Amino acid sequence: MSIGQKIRRLRQVQQLTQEELAQRSELTKGFISQVERDLTSPSVATFMDILEALGVSPEAFFKDEEETQIVFSEEDAFTFEDDAAGYGVDYIVPNAQKNAMEPTLWRIAPMGSSKVLAPFEGEFFAYVLSGRLDFCRGDDVFSVEEKDTIYAAGDAPCFFRNLSSEEATVLWVSNPPNF
């Protein structure tokens, strides 16, 4: 939401007309109208006058500036491919590093391996959506297949290895994000 749109919303919530806001902030109705329609930008001093007339601090004005996205589509994701190693990662929630969890979708090609994930403080789970592969964690190797779930602390290096002839797909969620 733009600054002008936000000013208009606050003015309307307070049931003020453009003229009343203009009077309170010692500006013209026309100027308030232009600001609300994003046709002009107020100077910092004028912006502070408008906020004062609305009874809103700058911190409160900008606090909920960013709407929280809840649903993510395929278009929101971005992909990393390592053809030499034989794997790809879809980052299905963009900028997830600011969240408590980071979900990623791993695709491991036949005879391919994922990168080795370094130990981290936290935990993860992985759900095998398709295929069969080895999950290597520290010195242990676990054979996993479709519908298997892996849940562990992030205190050991780990990676996936696909020795089958079919691509394997894994949903990986780490807490905190570690990519």
Side-chain angles (χ1 to χ4, degrees):
M1 179 180 299
S2 72
I3 289 174
Q5 292 170 329
K6 202 160 184 182
I7 288 171
R8 178 181 26 207
R9 184 177 52 109
L10 287 168
R11 177 183 59 77
Q12 290 171 341
V13 165
Q14 294 183 25
Q15 299 180 336
L16 295 173
T17 65
Q18 286 181 341
E19 189 171 339
E20 290 169 326
L21 178 57
Q23 288 173 350
R24 289 181 182 193
S25 54
E26 299 179 359
L27 299 166
T28 65
K29 176 184 172 185
F31 184 77
I32 295 293
S33 174
Q34 288 181 341
V35 169
E36 288 184 354
R37 292 182 292 142
D38 295 313
L39 298 177
T40 191
S41 297
S43 67
V44 173
T46 301
F47 176 68
M48 297 302 285
D49 290 341
I50 293 170
L51 291 185
E52 187 176 326
L54 290 168
V56 177
S57 70
E59 296 83 10
F61 183 83
F62 289 110
K63 184 176 182 184
D64 64 343
E65 177 69 24
E66 191 175 306
E67 293 183 21
T68 302
Q69 186 175 357
I70 295 174
V71 177
F72 299 89
S73 68
E74 187 175 355
E75 291 79 34
D76 294 317
F78 68 95
T79 300
F80 168 80
E81 298 285 341
D82 186 335
D83 295 329
Y87 78 98
V89 180
D90 296 325
Y91 294 87
I92 56 179
V93 175
N95 300 314
Q97 65 274 14
K98 67 180 190 243
N99 299 329
M101 298 182 295
E102 181 174 37
T104 52
L105 190 62
W106 291 71
R107 292 169 281 99
I108 295 89
M111 305 311 291
S113 292
S114 71
K115 73 175 183 177
V116 176
L117 300 173
F120 65 98
E121 289 188 35
E123 53 190 16
F124 65 88
F125 84 86
Y127 182 77
V128 182
L129 296 168
S130 66
R132 293 177 302 132
L133 37 78
D134 289 338
F135 175 66
C136 305
R137 181 173 184 273
D139 294 330
D140 298 321
V141 177
F142 304 91
S143 294
V144 294
E145 60 186 32
E146 186 173 332
K147 297 186 179 180
D148 284 349
T149 300
I150 303 162
Y151 187 97
D155 58 356
C158 58
F159 67 97
F160 292 104
R161 177 175 59 209
N162 185 351
L163 300 177
S164 76
S165 59
E166 302 288 324
E167 180 178 83
T169 308
V170 178
L171 175 64
W172 176 277
V173 180
S174 64
N175 177 5
N178 65 335
F179 294 107

